Amino acid sequence: MKFFLDTANIEDIKKYAQWGIVDGVTTNPSLVAKEGVDFKTRIQEIAKIVDGPISAEVTEASADEMIAEGKEIARWHTNIFVKVPMTPAGLETVKALSKEGIETNVTLVFSVAQAVMAAKAGASFVSPFVGRVDDIAYDGIALIKDIVDVFQKYNFTTEVLSASIRHGKHVIDSMKVGADIATIPPHLFDSLVSHPLTTSGLASFAADWKKFQAK
Ligand code: G3P
């Protein structure tokens, strides 16, 4: 499974990229707005830190405007994946951008039908929002599983990117059902990497070693 960071915060990206296990970064208009920085500049800064797919989302609504915006965004760096919303205009945009060899990530996906349509349009990634499905008392992981199963059944090459991750179990369960990628909020990296038995075990190793060295 590929682990992406879901943030536009450059300090968090620098911190967790150091671990050597970050395979890409996803952003969206809300995450970029939260940082209050120039969109292009921040995406290019991120691309210098993480050598992998960097998702940058179009903000226009019509197909013509999204296509033009997507082509401009794609020029910012070779690793850009243009993020496009799951709408009819978004499908038209993905079709046009993929014909020009531009990688795309279709976002705000909440059904198998939407995921299949995005794949048929030529999307590189589809991003089902697990957390937001759970938020309204439906089963986000079941959605991921259904999409993975249908993509395998019809040999779609589009990758399933589990998004809107709320906790570590979303990451684990996304793996168990076969998602290709999980895009993870930075703070969850700390909880995923640690375990109380690792912490206590290391402390006792150190204490025993210290006692032995003191003899
Ligand atoms: O990548 C999509 C993700 O950022 C959305 O997460 O927490 O706003 O549902 P959230």
Side-chain angles (χ1 to χ4, degrees), residues 20-57:
I21 60 168
V22 173
D23 302 300
V25 177
T26 53
T27 70
N28 64 41
S30 302
L31 292 173
V32 175
K34 185 178 165 188
E35 300 302 315
V37 295
D38 176 73
F39 185 22
K40 177 179 178 181
T41 304
R42 179 48 51 95
I43 294 299
Q44 291 178 324
E45 287 170 344
I46 293 171
K48 286 181 186 148
I49 299 165
V50 176
D51 182 20
I54 309 297
S55 289
E57 190 162 339

PDB file of all heavy atoms in Angstrom, residues 20-57:
ATOM      1  N   GLY A  20      10.890   8.335   5.357  1.00  0.00           N
ATOM      2  CA  GLY A  20      11.201   7.512   4.179  1.00  0.00           C
ATOM      3  C   GLY A  20      10.075   6.611   3.726  1.00  0.00           C
ATOM      4  O   GLY A  20      10.276   5.696   2.921  1.00  0.00           O
ATOM      5  N   ILE A  21       8.842   6.858   4.222  1.00  0.00           N
ATOM      6  CA  ILE A  21       7.733   5.976   3.832  1.00  0.00           C
ATOM      7  C   ILE A  21       6.583   6.761   3.204  1.00  0.00           C
ATOM      8  O   ILE A  21       5.517   6.214   2.960  1.00  0.00           O
ATOM      9  CB  ILE A  21       7.191   5.186   5.058  1.00  0.00           C
ATOM     10  CG1 ILE A  21       6.670   6.134   6.138  1.00  0.00           C
ATOM     11  CG2 ILE A  21       8.248   4.235   5.591  1.00  0.00           C
ATOM     12  CD1 ILE A  21       5.880   5.436   7.232  1.00  0.00           C
ATOM     13  N   VAL A  22       6.793   8.035   2.917  1.00  0.00           N
ATOM     14  CA  VAL A  22       5.743   8.850   2.296  1.00  0.00           C
ATOM     15  C   VAL A  22       5.890   8.769   0.779  1.00  0.00           C
ATOM     16  O   VAL A  22       6.927   9.123   0.225  1.00  0.00           O
ATOM     17  CB  VAL A  22       5.813  10.322   2.772  1.00  0.00           C
ATOM     18  CG1 VAL A  22       4.819  11.187   1.987  1.00  0.00           C
ATOM     19  CG2 VAL A  22       5.527  10.413   4.267  1.00  0.00           C
ATOM     20  N   ASP A  23       4.818   8.278   0.127  1.00  0.00           N
ATOM     21  CA  ASP A  23       4.886   8.009  -1.321  1.00  0.00           C
ATOM     22  C   ASP A  23       4.260   9.106  -2.181  1.00  0.00           C
ATOM     23  O   ASP A  23       4.380   9.072  -3.412  1.00  0.00           O
ATOM     24  CB  ASP A  23       4.163   6.693  -1.613  1.00  0.00           C
ATOM     25  CG  ASP A  23       4.751   5.523  -0.833  1.00  0.00           C
ATOM     26  OD1 ASP A  23       5.950   5.243  -1.020  1.00  0.00           O
ATOM     27  OD2 ASP A  23       4.030   4.935  -0.004  1.00  0.00           O
ATOM     28  N   GLY A  24       3.575  10.056  -1.524  1.00  0.00           N
ATOM     29  CA  GLY A  24       2.918  11.126  -2.274  1.00  0.00           C
ATOM     30  C   GLY A  24       2.191  12.067  -1.318  1.00  0.00           C
ATOM     31  O   GLY A  24       2.220  11.862  -0.092  1.00  0.00           O
ATOM     32  N   VAL A  25       1.557  13.088  -1.865  1.00  0.00           N
ATOM     33  CA  VAL A  25       0.823  14.079  -1.070  1.00  0.00           C
ATOM     34  C   VAL A  25      -0.489  14.415  -1.769  1.00  0.00           C
ATOM     35  O   VAL A  25      -0.518  14.516  -3.018  1.00  0.00           O
ATOM     36  CB  VAL A  25       1.648  15.374  -0.878  1.00  0.00           C
ATOM     37  CG1 VAL A  25       0.849  16.438  -0.106  1.00  0.00           C
ATOM     38  CG2 VAL A  25       2.959  15.080  -0.148  1.00  0.00           C
ATOM     39  N   THR A  26      -1.547  14.537  -1.009  1.00  0.00           N
ATOM     40  CA  THR A  26      -2.798  15.052  -1.584  1.00  0.00           C
ATOM     41  C   THR A  26      -3.133  16.378  -0.910  1.00  0.00           C
ATOM     42  O   THR A  26      -2.907  16.550   0.293  1.00  0.00           O
ATOM     43  CB  THR A  26      -3.986  14.090  -1.344  1.00  0.00           C
ATOM     44  OG1 THR A  26      -4.086  13.790   0.049  1.00  0.00           O
ATOM     45  CG2 THR A  26      -3.810  12.801  -2.147  1.00  0.00           C
ATOM     46  N   THR A  27      -3.637  17.307  -1.718  1.00  0.00           N
ATOM     47  CA  THR A  27      -4.147  18.561  -1.186  1.00  0.00           C
ATOM     48  C   THR A  27      -5.561  18.750  -1.733  1.00  0.00           C
ATOM     49  O   THR A  27      -6.001  18.010  -2.617  1.00  0.00           O
ATOM     50  CB  THR A  27      -3.268  19.770  -1.608  1.00  0.00           C
ATOM     51  OG1 THR A  27      -3.422  20.001  -3.021  1.00  0.00           O
ATOM     52  CG2 THR A  27      -1.797  19.516  -1.274  1.00  0.00           C
ATOM     53  N   ASN A  28      -6.254  19.703  -1.197  1.00  0.00           N
ATOM     54  CA  ASN A  28      -7.547  20.121  -1.743  1.00  0.00           C
ATOM     55  C   ASN A  28      -7.699  21.605  -1.417  1.00  0.00           C
ATOM     56  O   ASN A  28      -6.904  22.152  -0.648  1.00  0.00           O
ATOM     57  CB  ASN A  28      -8.705  19.268  -1.193  1.00  0.00           C
ATOM     58  CG  ASN A  28      -8.896  19.416   0.297  1.00  0.00           C
ATOM     59  OD1 ASN A  28      -8.807  20.500   0.844  1.00  0.00           O
ATOM     60  ND2 ASN A  28      -9.138  18.291   0.967  1.00  0.00           N
ATOM     61  N   PRO A  29      -8.686  22.289  -2.006  1.00  0.00           N
ATOM     62  CA  PRO A  29      -8.791  23.748  -1.793  1.00  0.00           C
ATOM     63  C   PRO A  29      -8.861  24.141  -0.314  1.00  0.00           C
ATOM     64  O   PRO A  29      -8.272  25.159   0.086  1.00  0.00           O
ATOM     65  CB  PRO A  29     -10.082  24.098  -2.536  1.00  0.00           C
ATOM     66  CG  PRO A  29     -10.142  23.092  -3.645  1.00  0.00           C
ATOM     67  CD  PRO A  29      -9.632  21.818  -3.026  1.00  0.00           C
ATOM     68  N   SER A  30      -9.535  23.327   0.504  1.00  0.00           N
ATOM     69  CA  SER A  30      -9.638  23.660   1.941  1.00  0.00           C
ATOM     70  C   SER A  30      -8.273  23.560   2.623  1.00  0.00           C
ATOM     71  O   SER A  30      -7.916  24.407   3.449  1.00  0.00           O
ATOM     72  CB  SER A  30     -10.636  22.720   2.629  1.00  0.00           C
ATOM     73  OG  SER A  30     -11.909  22.814   2.015  1.00  0.00           O
ATOM     74  N   LEU A  31      -7.511  22.514   2.275  1.00  0.00           N
ATOM     75  CA  LEU A  31      -6.198  22.329   2.907  1.00  0.00           C
ATOM     76  C   LEU A  31      -5.225  23.440   2.501  1.00  0.00           C
ATOM     77  O   LEU A  31      -4.426  23.904   3.307  1.00  0.00           O
ATOM     78  CB  LEU A  31      -5.626  20.958   2.542  1.00  0.00           C
ATOM     79  CG  LEU A  31      -6.348  19.737   3.111  1.00  0.00           C
ATOM     80  CD1 LEU A  31      -5.786  18.446   2.530  1.00  0.00           C
ATOM     81  CD2 LEU A  31      -6.258  19.715   4.639  1.00  0.00           C
ATOM     82  N   VAL A  32      -5.306  23.869   1.250  1.00  0.00           N
ATOM     83  CA  VAL A  32      -4.426  24.957   0.788  1.00  0.00           C
ATOM     84  C   VAL A  32      -4.855  26.286   1.407  1.00  0.00           C
ATOM     85  O   VAL A  32      -4.015  27.045   1.904  1.00  0.00           O
ATOM     86  CB  VAL A  32      -4.424  25.042  -0.756  1.00  0.00           C
ATOM     87  CG1 VAL A  32      -3.612  26.253  -1.233  1.00  0.00           C
ATOM     88  CG2 VAL A  32      -3.861  23.758  -1.368  1.00  0.00           C
ATOM     89  N   ALA A  33      -6.169  26.519   1.433  1.00  0.00           N
ATOM     90  CA  ALA A  33      -6.678  27.777   2.018  1.00  0.00           C
ATOM     91  C   ALA A  33      -6.267  27.894   3.482  1.00  0.00           C
ATOM     92  O   ALA A  33      -5.917  28.975   3.964  1.00  0.00           O
ATOM     93  CB  ALA A  33      -8.200  27.817   1.888  1.00  0.00           C
ATOM     94  N   LYS A  34      -6.256  26.740   4.162  1.00  0.00           N
ATOM     95  CA  LYS A  34      -5.890  26.724   5.599  1.00  0.00           C
ATOM     96  C   LYS A  34      -4.464  27.236   5.809  1.00  0.00           C
ATOM     97  O   LYS A  34      -4.140  27.841   6.825  1.00  0.00           O
ATOM     98  CB  LYS A  34      -6.015  25.280   6.093  1.00  0.00           C
ATOM     99  CG  LYS A  34      -5.794  25.041   7.565  1.00  0.00           C
ATOM    100  CD  LYS A  34      -6.023  23.555   7.865  1.00  0.00           C
ATOM    101  CE  LYS A  34      -5.468  23.151   9.217  1.00  0.00           C
ATOM    102  NZ  LYS A  34      -5.521  21.666   9.405  1.00  0.00           N
ATOM    103  N   GLU A  35      -3.597  27.003   4.815  1.00  0.00           N
ATOM    104  CA  GLU A  35      -2.193  27.435   4.946  1.00  0.00           C
ATOM    105  C   GLU A  35      -2.018  28.909   4.576  1.00  0.00           C
ATOM    106  O   GLU A  35      -1.003  29.504   4.911  1.00  0.00           O
ATOM    107  CB  GLU A  35      -1.282  26.556   4.076  1.00  0.00           C
ATOM    108  CG  GLU A  35      -1.318  25.077   4.429  1.00  0.00           C
ATOM    109  CD  GLU A  35      -0.940  24.834   5.884  1.00  0.00           C
ATOM    110  OE1 GLU A  35       0.045  25.425   6.364  1.00  0.00           O
ATOM    111  OE2 GLU A  35      -1.649  24.045   6.543  1.00  0.00           O
ATOM    112  N   GLY A  36      -2.967  29.451   3.816  1.00  0.00           N
ATOM    113  CA  GLY A  36      -2.916  30.869   3.466  1.00  0.00           C
ATOM    114  C   GLY A  36      -1.718  31.250   2.606  1.00  0.00           C
ATOM    115  O   GLY A  36      -1.134  32.326   2.756  1.00  0.00           O
ATOM    116  N   VAL A  37      -1.358  30.342   1.697  1.00  0.00           N
ATOM    117  CA  VAL A  37      -0.181  30.604   0.849  1.00  0.00           C
ATOM    118  C   VAL A  37      -0.553  30.553  -0.630  1.00  0.00           C
ATOM    119  O   VAL A  37      -1.636  30.080  -0.996  1.00  0.00           O
ATOM    120  CB  VAL A  37       0.922  29.551   1.128  1.00  0.00           C
ATOM    121  CG1 VAL A  37       1.460  29.674   2.541  1.00  0.00           C
ATOM    122  CG2 VAL A  37       0.397  28.139   0.863  1.00  0.00           C
ATOM    123  N   ASP A  38       0.385  30.984  -1.482  1.00  0.00           N
ATOM    124  CA  ASP A  38       0.149  30.905  -2.920  1.00  0.00           C
ATOM    125  C   ASP A  38       0.078  29.430  -3.342  1.00  0.00           C
ATOM    126  O   ASP A  38       0.979  28.638  -3.023  1.00  0.00           O
ATOM    127  CB  ASP A  38       1.291  31.612  -3.666  1.00  0.00           C
ATOM    128  CG  ASP A  38       1.141  31.464  -5.175  1.00  0.00           C
ATOM    129  OD1 ASP A  38       0.238  32.123  -5.746  1.00  0.00           O
ATOM    130  OD2 ASP A  38       1.901  30.670  -5.771  1.00  0.00           O
ATOM    131  N   PHE A  39      -0.965  29.077  -4.066  1.00  0.00           N
ATOM    132  CA  PHE A  39      -1.250  27.682  -4.436  1.00  0.00           C
ATOM    133  C   PHE A  39      -0.072  27.071  -5.214  1.00  0.00           C
ATOM    134  O   PHE A  39       0.489  26.044  -4.819  1.00  0.00           O
ATOM    135  CB  PHE A  39      -2.537  27.671  -5.261  1.00  0.00           C
ATOM    136  CG  PHE A  39      -3.059  26.319  -5.650  1.00  0.00           C
ATOM    137  CD1 PHE A  39      -2.716  25.160  -4.947  1.00  0.00           C
ATOM    138  CD2 PHE A  39      -3.930  26.196  -6.729  1.00  0.00           C
ATOM    139  CE1 PHE A  39      -3.225  23.926  -5.309  1.00  0.00           C
ATOM    140  CE2 PHE A  39      -4.442  24.954  -7.098  1.00  0.00           C
ATOM    141  CZ  PHE A  39      -4.078  23.822  -6.391  1.00  0.00           C
ATOM    142  N   LYS A  40       0.310  27.752  -6.327  1.00  0.00           N
ATOM    143  CA  LYS A  40       1.375  27.203  -7.189  1.00  0.00           C
ATOM    144  C   LYS A  40       2.686  27.076  -6.416  1.00  0.00           C
ATOM    145  O   LYS A  40       3.359  26.039  -6.480  1.00  0.00           O
ATOM    146  CB  LYS A  40       1.561  28.106  -8.412  1.00  0.00           C
ATOM    147  CG  LYS A  40       2.703  27.667  -9.338  1.00  0.00           C
ATOM    148  CD  LYS A  40       2.813  28.599 -10.543  1.00  0.00           C
ATOM    149  CE  LYS A  40       3.970  28.208 -11.453  1.00  0.00           C
ATOM    150  NZ  LYS A  40       4.083  29.143 -12.633  1.00  0.00           N
ATOM    151  N   THR A  41       3.021  28.106  -5.668  1.00  0.00           N
ATOM    152  CA  THR A  41       4.284  28.085  -4.905  1.00  0.00           C
ATOM    153  C   THR A  41       4.303  26.926  -3.921  1.00  0.00           C
ATOM    154  O   THR A  41       5.281  26.178  -3.833  1.00  0.00           O
ATOM    155  CB  THR A  41       4.458  29.416  -4.147  1.00  0.00           C
ATOM    156  OG1 THR A  41       4.398  30.491  -5.074  1.00  0.00           O
ATOM    157  CG2 THR A  41       5.794  29.438  -3.381  1.00  0.00           C
ATOM    158  N   ARG A  42       3.193  26.716  -3.203  1.00  0.00           N
ATOM    159  CA  ARG A  42       3.151  25.642  -2.218  1.00  0.00           C
ATOM    160  C   ARG A  42       3.227  24.269  -2.861  1.00  0.00           C
ATOM    161  O   ARG A  42       3.970  23.384  -2.401  1.00  0.00           O
ATOM    162  CB  ARG A  42       1.890  25.765  -1.356  1.00  0.00           C
ATOM    163  CG  ARG A  42       1.686  24.695  -0.288  1.00  0.00           C
ATOM    164  CD  ARG A  42       2.932  24.421   0.576  1.00  0.00           C
ATOM    165  NE  ARG A  42       3.541  25.583   1.151  1.00  0.00           N
ATOM    166  CZ  ARG A  42       3.252  26.001   2.406  1.00  0.00           C
ATOM    167  NH1 ARG A  42       2.355  25.359   3.138  1.00  0.00           N
ATOM    168  NH2 ARG A  42       3.868  27.056   2.910  1.00  0.00           N
ATOM    169  N   ILE A  43       2.517  24.086  -3.966  1.00  0.00           N
ATOM    170  CA  ILE A  43       2.569  22.785  -4.655  1.00  0.00           C
ATOM    171  C   ILE A  43       3.983  22.494  -5.129  1.00  0.00           C
ATOM    172  O   ILE A  43       4.504  21.379  -4.990  1.00  0.00           O
ATOM    173  CB  ILE A  43       1.571  22.748  -5.827  1.00  0.00           C
ATOM    174  CG1 ILE A  43       0.116  22.819  -5.321  1.00  0.00           C
ATOM    175  CG2 ILE A  43       1.778  21.491  -6.690  1.00  0.00           C
ATOM    176  CD1 ILE A  43      -0.323  21.681  -4.417  1.00  0.00           C
ATOM    177  N   GLN A  44       4.664  23.516  -5.652  1.00  0.00           N
ATOM    178  CA  GLN A  44       6.046  23.328  -6.123  1.00  0.00           C
ATOM    179  C   GLN A  44       7.002  23.068  -4.960  1.00  0.00           C
ATOM    180  O   GLN A  44       7.936  22.261  -5.088  1.00  0.00           O
ATOM    181  CB  GLN A  44       6.491  24.524  -6.964  1.00  0.00           C
ATOM    182  CG  GLN A  44       5.755  24.603  -8.307  1.00  0.00           C
ATOM    183  CD  GLN A  44       6.150  25.801  -9.150  1.00  0.00           C
ATOM    184  OE1 GLN A  44       6.406  26.893  -8.623  1.00  0.00           O
ATOM    185  NE2 GLN A  44       6.186  25.610 -10.452  1.00  0.00           N
ATOM    186  N   GLU A  45       6.731  23.688  -3.803  1.00  0.00           N
ATOM    187  CA  GLU A  45       7.555  23.406  -2.603  1.00  0.00           C
ATOM    188  C   GLU A  45       7.380  21.939  -2.188  1.00  0.00           C
ATOM    189  O   GLU A  45       8.346  21.246  -1.874  1.00  0.00           O
ATOM    190  CB  GLU A  45       7.116  24.311  -1.444  1.00  0.00           C
ATOM    191  CG  GLU A  45       7.512  25.754  -1.562  1.00  0.00           C
ATOM    192  CD  GLU A  45       6.841  26.626  -0.494  1.00  0.00           C
ATOM    193  OE1 GLU A  45       5.846  26.170   0.138  1.00  0.00           O
ATOM    194  OE2 GLU A  45       7.298  27.761  -0.289  1.00  0.00           O
ATOM    195  N   ILE A  46       6.120  21.479  -2.201  1.00  0.00           N
ATOM    196  CA  ILE A  46       5.820  20.097  -1.809  1.00  0.00           C
ATOM    197  C   ILE A  46       6.518  19.124  -2.759  1.00  0.00           C
ATOM    198  O   ILE A  46       7.119  18.139  -2.327  1.00  0.00           O
ATOM    199  CB  ILE A  46       4.291  19.863  -1.808  1.00  0.00           C
ATOM    200  CG1 ILE A  46       3.614  20.675  -0.699  1.00  0.00           C
ATOM    201  CG2 ILE A  46       3.985  18.372  -1.643  1.00  0.00           C
ATOM    202  CD1 ILE A  46       2.090  20.689  -0.762  1.00  0.00           C
ATOM    203  N   ALA A  47       6.468  19.425  -4.054  1.00  0.00           N
ATOM    204  CA  ALA A  47       7.053  18.526  -5.061  1.00  0.00           C
ATOM    205  C   ALA A  47       8.563  18.405  -4.913  1.00  0.00           C
ATOM    206  O   ALA A  47       9.159  17.397  -5.303  1.00  0.00           O
ATOM    207  CB  ALA A  47       6.693  19.022  -6.456  1.00  0.00           C
ATOM    208  N   LYS A  48       9.186  19.430  -4.306  1.00  0.00           N
ATOM    209  CA  LYS A  48      10.636  19.356  -4.063  1.00  0.00           C
ATOM    210  C   LYS A  48      10.962  18.433  -2.881  1.00  0.00           C
ATOM    211  O   LYS A  48      12.067  17.901  -2.779  1.00  0.00           O
ATOM    212  CB  LYS A  48      11.190  20.758  -3.769  1.00  0.00           C
ATOM    213  CG  LYS A  48      11.304  21.663  -4.992  1.00  0.00           C
ATOM    214  CD  LYS A  48      11.865  23.004  -4.633  1.00  0.00           C
ATOM    215  CE  LYS A  48      11.829  23.969  -5.851  1.00  0.00           C
ATOM    216  NZ  LYS A  48      11.643  25.364  -5.421  1.00  0.00           N
ATOM    217  N   ILE A  49       9.973  18.241  -1.992  1.00  0.00           N
ATOM    218  CA  ILE A  49      10.226  17.437  -0.778  1.00  0.00           C
ATOM    219  C   ILE A  49       9.859  15.966  -0.982  1.00  0.00           C
ATOM    220  O   ILE A  49      10.575  15.064  -0.549  1.00  0.00           O
ATOM    221  CB  ILE A  49       9.424  18.018   0.409  1.00  0.00           C
ATOM    222  CG1 ILE A  49       9.862  19.451   0.691  1.00  0.00           C
ATOM    223  CG2 ILE A  49       9.570  17.141   1.660  1.00  0.00           C
ATOM    224  CD1 ILE A  49       8.886  20.210   1.587  1.00  0.00           C
ATOM    225  N   VAL A  50       8.714  15.726  -1.619  1.00  0.00           N
ATOM    226  CA  VAL A  50       8.230  14.346  -1.810  1.00  0.00           C
ATOM    227  C   VAL A  50       8.287  13.991  -3.296  1.00  0.00           C
ATOM    228  O   VAL A  50       7.624  14.653  -4.119  1.00  0.00           O
ATOM    229  CB  VAL A  50       6.782  14.191  -1.293  1.00  0.00           C
ATOM    230  CG1 VAL A  50       6.263  12.785  -1.589  1.00  0.00           C
ATOM    231  CG2 VAL A  50       6.716  14.476   0.203  1.00  0.00           C
ATOM    232  N   ASP A  51       9.070  12.961  -3.617  1.00  0.00           N
ATOM    233  CA  ASP A  51       9.203  12.532  -5.017  1.00  0.00           C
ATOM    234  C   ASP A  51       8.150  11.476  -5.322  1.00  0.00           C
ATOM    235  O   ASP A  51       8.425  10.272  -5.336  1.00  0.00           O
ATOM    236  CB  ASP A  51      10.608  11.969  -5.255  1.00  0.00           C
ATOM    237  CG  ASP A  51      10.799  11.564  -6.729  1.00  0.00           C
ATOM    238  OD1 ASP A  51      10.018  12.071  -7.574  1.00  0.00           O
ATOM    239  OD2 ASP A  51      11.694  10.741  -7.011  1.00  0.00           O
ATOM    240  N   GLY A  52       6.945  11.946  -5.557  1.00  0.00           N
ATOM    241  CA  GLY A  52       5.827  11.051  -5.836  1.00  0.00           C
ATOM    242  C   GLY A  52       4.631  11.862  -6.281  1.00  0.00           C
ATOM    243  O   GLY A  52       4.713  13.085  -6.413  1.00  0.00           O
ATOM    244  N   PRO A  53       3.462  11.208  -6.492  1.00  0.00           N
ATOM    245  CA  PRO A  53       2.276  11.937  -6.956  1.00  0.00           C
ATOM    246  C   PRO A  53       1.857  13.048  -5.994  1.00  0.00           C
ATOM    247  O   PRO A  53       1.729  12.810  -4.794  1.00  0.00           O
ATOM    248  CB  PRO A  53       1.204  10.847  -7.037  1.00  0.00           C
ATOM    249  CG  PRO A  53       1.957   9.578  -7.209  1.00  0.00           C
ATOM    250  CD  PRO A  53       3.230   9.761  -6.422  1.00  0.00           C
ATOM    251  N   ILE A  54       1.700  14.246  -6.523  1.00  0.00           N
ATOM    252  CA  ILE A  54       1.250  15.403  -5.734  1.00  0.00           C
ATOM    253  C   ILE A  54      -0.091  15.839  -6.310  1.00  0.00           C
ATOM    254  O   ILE A  54      -0.167  16.295  -7.450  1.00  0.00           O
ATOM    255  CB  ILE A  54       2.242  16.582  -5.815  1.00  0.00           C
ATOM    256  CG1 ILE A  54       3.675  16.128  -5.508  1.00  0.00           C
ATOM    257  CG2 ILE A  54       1.798  17.713  -4.871  1.00  0.00           C
ATOM    258  CD1 ILE A  54       3.939  15.599  -4.137  1.00  0.00           C
ATOM    259  N   SER A  55      -1.167  15.671  -5.543  1.00  0.00           N
ATOM    260  CA  SER A  55      -2.500  16.033  -6.043  1.00  0.00           C
ATOM    261  C   SER A  55      -2.794  17.503  -5.774  1.00  0.00           C
ATOM    262  O   SER A  55      -2.696  17.948  -4.626  1.00  0.00           O
ATOM    263  CB  SER A  55      -3.577  15.166  -5.375  1.00  0.00           C
ATOM    264  OG  SER A  55      -3.523  13.835  -5.830  1.00  0.00           O
ATOM    265  N   ALA A  56      -3.155  18.221  -6.844  1.00  0.00           N
ATOM    266  CA  ALA A  56      -3.521  19.646  -6.749  1.00  0.00           C
ATOM    267  C   ALA A  56      -4.852  19.810  -7.476  1.00  0.00           C
ATOM    268  O   ALA A  56      -4.991  19.389  -8.625  1.00  0.00           O
ATOM    269  CB  ALA A  56      -2.454  20.515  -7.383  1.00  0.00           C
ATOM    270  N   GLU A  57      -5.842  20.363  -6.800  1.00  0.00           N
ATOM    271  CA  GLU A  57      -7.228  20.350  -7.278  1.00  0.00           C
ATOM    272  C   GLU A  57      -7.621  21.594  -8.067  1.00  0.00           C
ATOM    273  O   GLU A  57      -7.280  22.714  -7.676  1.00  0.00           O
ATOM    274  CB  GLU A  57      -8.174  20.183  -6.090  1.00  0.00           C
ATOM    275  CG  GLU A  57      -9.620  19.920  -6.452  1.00  0.00           C
ATOM    276  CD  GLU A  57     -10.416  19.345  -5.292  1.00  0.00           C
ATOM    277  OE1 GLU A  57      -9.808  18.784  -4.366  1.00  0.00           O
ATOM    278  OE2 GLU A  57     -11.653  19.449  -5.326  1.00  0.00           O
TER     279      GLU A  57
END
